Coordinates of all heavy atoms in Angstrom, one line a residue:
Chain B
V332 N -30.3 24.9 45.3 CA -29.1 24.9 46.0 C -29.2 25.4 47.4 O -28.7 24.6 48.4 CB -28.0 25.8 45.3 CG1 -26.8 25.8 46.0 CG2 -27.8 25.2 43.9
L333 N -29.9 26.5 47.7 CA -29.9 27.1 49.0 C -30.5 26.1 50.1 O -30.0 26.0 51.1 CB -30.5 28.4 49.0 CG -29.6 29.6 48.8 CD1 -30.3 30.9 49.0 CD2 -28.4 29.6 49.7
P334 N -31.8 25.6 49.7 CA -32.4 24.7 50.7 C -31.5 23.5 51.2 O -31.5 23.3 52.3 CB -33.6 24.3 50.0 CG -33.8 25.1 49.0 CD -32.5 25.8 48.6
Q335 N -30.7 23.0 50.2 CA -29.8 22.0 50.7 C -28.6 22.5 51.4 O -28.0 21.8 52.3 CB -29.3 21.2 49.4 CG -30.5 20.5 48.6 CD -29.9 19.8 47.5 OE1 -29.4 18.7 47.6 NE2 -30.1 20.3 46.4
A336 N -28.0 23.7 50.8 CA -26.9 24.2 51.4 C -27.2 24.6 53.0 O -26.4 24.5 53.9 CB -26.3 25.4 50.7
L337 N -28.5 25.2 53.2 CA -28.7 25.5 54.6 C -28.6 24.4 55.6 O -28.1 24.7 56.8 CB -30.1 26.1 54.6 CG -30.3 27.6 54.2 CD1 -31.8 28.1 54.3 CD2 -29.4 28.4 54.9
R338 N -28.9 23.1 55.2 CA -28.8 22.1 56.1 C -27.4 21.9 56.4 O -27.1 21.5 57.7 CB -29.3 20.8 55.4 CG -29.5 19.7 56.3 CD -30.0 18.5 55.6 NE -31.4 18.6 55.1 CZ -31.9 18.4 53.9 NH1 -31.1 17.9 53.1 NH2 -33.1 18.5 53.6
V339 N -26.5 22.3 55.5 CA -25.0 22.1 56.0 C -24.6 23.4 56.9 O -23.8 23.2 57.8 CB -24.2 21.9 54.7 CG1 -22.6 21.8 55.1 CG2 -24.7 20.8 53.9
I340 N -25.1 24.6 56.4 CA -24.7 25.8 57.0 C -25.1 26.1 58.4 O -24.5 26.5 59.4 CB -25.0 27.1 56.2 CG1 -24.4 26.9 54.8 CG2 -24.8 28.3 56.8 CD1 -24.8 27.9 53.7
I341 N -26.4 25.6 58.7 CA -27.1 26.2 59.8 C -26.4 25.7 61.3 O -26.2 26.4 62.1 CB -28.6 25.9 60.0 CG1 -29.3 26.6 58.8 CG2 -29.3 26.2 61.2 CD1 -29.8 27.9 59.0
P342 N -26.2 24.3 61.3 CA -25.4 23.9 62.6 C -24.2 24.5 63.0 O -24.1 25.1 64.1 CB -25.3 22.4 62.3 CG -26.2 22.0 61.4 CD -26.4 23.1 60.5
P343 N -23.2 24.7 62.0 CA -22.0 25.5 62.5 C -22.3 27.0 62.8 O -21.8 27.6 63.6 CB -21.0 25.3 61.2 CG -21.9 24.8 60.2 CD -23.0 24.1 60.7
L344 N -23.4 27.4 62.0 CA -23.8 28.9 62.3 C -24.3 29.1 63.7 O -23.9 30.0 64.3 CB -25.0 29.2 61.3 CG -25.3 30.7 61.2 CD1 -24.3 31.6 60.7 CD2 -26.5 30.9 60.5
I345 N -25.1 28.1 64.1 CA -25.6 28.3 65.5 C -24.4 28.2 66.5 O -24.4 28.9 67.6 CB -26.7 27.2 65.7 CG1 -27.9 27.6 64.8 CG2 -27.1 27.3 67.2 CD1 -29.0 26.6 65.0

Side-chain angles (χ1 to χ4, degrees):
Chain B
V332 177
L333 272 188
Q335 300 184 72
L337 276 184
R338 189 177 291 136
V339 185
I340 294 172
I341 299 266
L344 188 66
I345 292 177

